[in-house]
């Protein structure tokens, strides 16, 4: 399949769904750890088309959502400094800190700019040698290589007024933490294809074996996700727990060697706090000692930040897959995309934002029809929650 439309083919989707229905004999709970997959699932009503026995649990797959409140508050403090040009991707500007967000800093006179690449921020530093330029580098393994390259280039070109506020997280330790929780109900994983396109699949067999769960690498279009579910359910029904690559057009077992070399040079593994979850050992990256001078936390000495999450926000439970977004009392009332209590509502990949956009507004049933090309489905009834 070479064209995007083919990954949304209603006939193929129907056949995959029929096979899933024919295979499943008991309840199974699968978790996707990717905000893009979550939005695709909710947008196209995939969870409502699956058999009643198959539950999709939304994990901590949104990089914006898991960025800890402490780091957001450090970003606000740095961005408010008069000598700083603070550069960020647009989806971070409305993420709430303890008090305010980057938009509020900008409205108060802070020089906050939206960029589309860390190299754009590096170019800003080159053009403004009299200012300190900070790039807010967040995300999973997917965005880390580009941020590492920006720091590498800054040192190579001698651009000393550039620094990185880094909050990178790694997926395999998060999966390990989820499976180690006594409250965990997950029996299989849909692994994020973009993460594996960088890192490969070498870290997953150990987890599949240790916890006895199948792990299927999948893409982001409806057919990708349905194929991932089909393979995971087939393994579960057979009592298997292997790593399967259902996204071979983008993922190789060894990953991207050039990206891995850049990560190994610029970053080192560290413990990292996840918003709403807590600290997960070995789950993040920070700048290696050779690049520490480009670390914005080190350069601006932002410490002693005291944080406080809104009492009504239950995004931590949403991120752990313990709560569906619409089960939170604040959902759609005091917490909306315009007035978010937590990052899961404001982020373009957040589970709460997906539920608000695609279900509360009553678009779920239409989206299901668009995927399958059929109004009569054998799976769960397609309804909105609002």
């Amino acid at each position: 399949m070479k064209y995007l439309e083919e990954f949304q083919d209603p006939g193929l989707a129907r056949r995959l769904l029929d096979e899933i229905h024919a295979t499943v004999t008991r309840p199974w709970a699968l978790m996707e750890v990717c905000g893009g997959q979550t939005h695709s699932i909710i947008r196209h009503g995939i969870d409502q088309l699956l058999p009643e026995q198959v539950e999709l649990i939304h994990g901590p797959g949104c990089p914006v959502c898991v960025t800890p409140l402490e780091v957001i508050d450090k970003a606000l403090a740095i961005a408010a400094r008069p000598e700083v040009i603070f550069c960020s991707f647009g989806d971070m500007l409305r993420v709430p800190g303890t008090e305010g967000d980057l938009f509020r800093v900008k409205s108060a006179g802070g020089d906050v700019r939206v960029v589309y690449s860390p190299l754009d921020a590096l170019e800003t530093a080159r053009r403004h040698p009299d200012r300190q330029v900070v790039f807010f580098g967040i995300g999973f393994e997917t965005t880390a290589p580009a941020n590492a390259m920006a720091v590498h280039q800054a040192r190579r070109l001698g651009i000393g007024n550039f620094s990185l506020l880094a909050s990178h997280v790694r997926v395999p330790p998060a999966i390990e933490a989820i499976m180690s929780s006594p409250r965990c109900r997950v029996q299989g994983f849909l692994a994020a294809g973009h993460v594996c396109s960088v890192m490969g699949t070498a870290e997953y067999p150990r987890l599949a074996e240790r916890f006895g769960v199948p792990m299927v690498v999948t893409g982001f279009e409806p057919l990708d996700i349905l194929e991932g579910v089909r393979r995971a359910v087939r393994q579960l029904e057979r009592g298997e727990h292997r790593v399967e690559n259902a996204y071979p057009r983008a993922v190789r077992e060894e990953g991207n060697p050039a990206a891995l070399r850049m990560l190994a040079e610029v970053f080192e593994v560290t413990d990292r706090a996840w918003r709403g979850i807590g600290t997960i050992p070995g789950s993040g990256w920070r700048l290696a000692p050779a690049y520490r001078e480009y670390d914005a936390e080190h350069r601006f000495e932002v410490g002693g930040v005291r944080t406080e999450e809104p009492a009504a926000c239950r995004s931590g439970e949403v991120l752990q897959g313990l709560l569906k977004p619409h089960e939170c009392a604040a959902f759609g009332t005091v917490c909306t995309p315009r007035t978010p209590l937590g990052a899961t509502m404001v982020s373009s990949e957040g589970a709460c934002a997906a539920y608000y956009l695609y279900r509360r507004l009553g678009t779920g049933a239409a989206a299901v029809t668009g995927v399958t090309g059929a109004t009569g489905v054998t799976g769960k009834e397609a309804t909105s929650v609002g």
Side-chain angles (χ1 to χ4, degrees):
M1 294 182 288
K2 298 180 180 179
Y3 304 103
L4 181 61
E5 292 80 2
E6 295 185 62
F7 295 100
Q8 300 181 7
D9 182 274
L12 290 177
R14 183 72 272 167
R15 289 198 289 273
L16 285 170
L17 283 163
D18 287 344
E19 186 168 343
I20 294 169
H21 278 268
T23 301
V24 67
T25 64
R26 68 189 83 173
W28 300 114
L30 307 177
M31 174 178 279
E32 83 277 358
V33 192
C34 169
Q37 289 176 345
T38 299
H39 271 252
S40 187
I41 288 167
I42 303 306
R43 175 186 178 188
H44 297 288
I46 292 172
D47 57 330
Q48 296 179 321
L49 286 169
L50 291 171
E52 291 284 353
Q53 301 98 316
V54 179
E55 179 186 3
L56 294 182
I57 299 174
H58 317 308
C62 165
V64 174
C65 302
V66 300
T67 302
L69 186 58
E70 179 183 1
V71 174
I72 300 295
D73 285 352
K74 288 179 179 180
L76 300 180
I78 294 172
R81 297 174 70 119
E83 75 273 23
V84 167
I85 299 175
F86 195 87
C87 298
S88 172
F89 294 141
D91 55 3
M92 294 302 299
L93 268 63
R94 292 185 56 239
V95 177
T98 301
E99 295 183 5
D101 53 30
L102 286 169
F103 267 128
R104 186 172 296 183
V105 172
K106 184 176 177 66
S107 68
D111 195 343
V112 178
R113 305 185 186 185
V114 173
V115 296
Y116 298 94
S117 162
L119 295 178
D120 292 342
L122 185 61
E123 174 60 19
T124 300
R126 188 192 66 79
R127 289 188 282 105
H128 298 276
D130 58 326
R131 304 283 299 280
Q132 288 291 327
V133 176
V134 179
F135 178 71
F136 199 1
I138 64 102
F140 291 100
E141 294 94 331
T142 323
T143 56
N147 293 340
M149 174 60 78
V151 175
H152 174 84
Q153 288 289 85
R155 189 171 75 167
R156 187 180 71 83
L157 298 173
I159 302 177
N161 62 322
F162 174 83
S163 59
L164 179 72
L165 179 61
S167 184
H168 283 296
V169 289
R170 302 173 58 240
V171 171
I175 291 176
E176 187 168 4
I178 289 167
M179 292 305 300
S180 299
S181 169
R183 302 174 67 186
C184 178
R185 299 186 298 110
V186 179
Q187 296 162 294
F189 283 90
L190 303 181
H194 52 5
V195 169
C196 294
S197 70
V198 174
M199 304 302 294
T201 59
E203 294 186 84
Y204 293 100
R206 174 185 64 85
L207 296 171
E209 182 63 30
R210 175 183 172 187
F211 296 107
V213 294
M215 309 186 80
V216 182
V217 180
T218 60
F220 312 92
E221 294 300 323
L223 294 188
D224 290 323
I225 295 169
L226 287 173
E227 174 64 5
V229 172
R230 184 188 72 84
R231 293 194 188 201
V233 168
R234 182 178 61 184
Q235 282 198 49
L236 287 166
E237 290 284 339
R238 294 176 177 176
E240 299 173 350
H241 48 269
R242 297 178 288 104
V243 176
E244 287 191 66
N245 181 10
Y247 198 39
R249 68 183 186 273
V251 173
R252 297 179 296 177
E253 183 179 357
E254 67 274 18
N256 185 322
L260 291 173
R261 286 193 296 271
M262 183 58 61
L263 289 172
E265 176 186 338
V266 177
F267 289 124
E268 65 179 6
V269 173
T270 185
D271 300 343
R272 180 66 71 186
W274 294 53
R275 187 168 189 170
I277 298 176
T279 298
I280 301 176
S283 67
W285 276 307
R286 65 183 177 190
L287 288 170
Y291 288 90
R292 193 60 47 82
E293 63 185 295
Y294 295 96
D295 187 334
E297 290 191 55
H298 175 75
R299 179 171 295 188
F300 295 99
E301 298 181 347
V302 281
V305 174
R306 300 181 62 183
T307 62
E308 184 178 355
E309 292 278 6
C313 181
R314 302 180 68 185
S315 60
E317 294 170 87
V318 172
L319 289 168
Q320 295 176 70
L322 302 174
L323 186 78
K324 291 292 196 296
H326 65 274
E327 295 170 344
C328 173
F331 175 81
T333 55
V334 296
C335 182
T336 71
R338 288 189 176 274
T339 59
L341 292 180
T344 50
M345 180 60 89
V346 68
S347 168
S348 61
E349 292 190 351
C352 295
Y355 271 64
Y356 187 92
L357 177 61
Y358 296 119
R359 288 191 171 180
R360 188 174 177 83
L361 301 184
T363 60
V368 169
T369 304
V371 173
T372 64
T375 54
V377 298
T378 57
K380 296 186 273 274
E381 194 71 21
T383 59
S384 67
V385 297

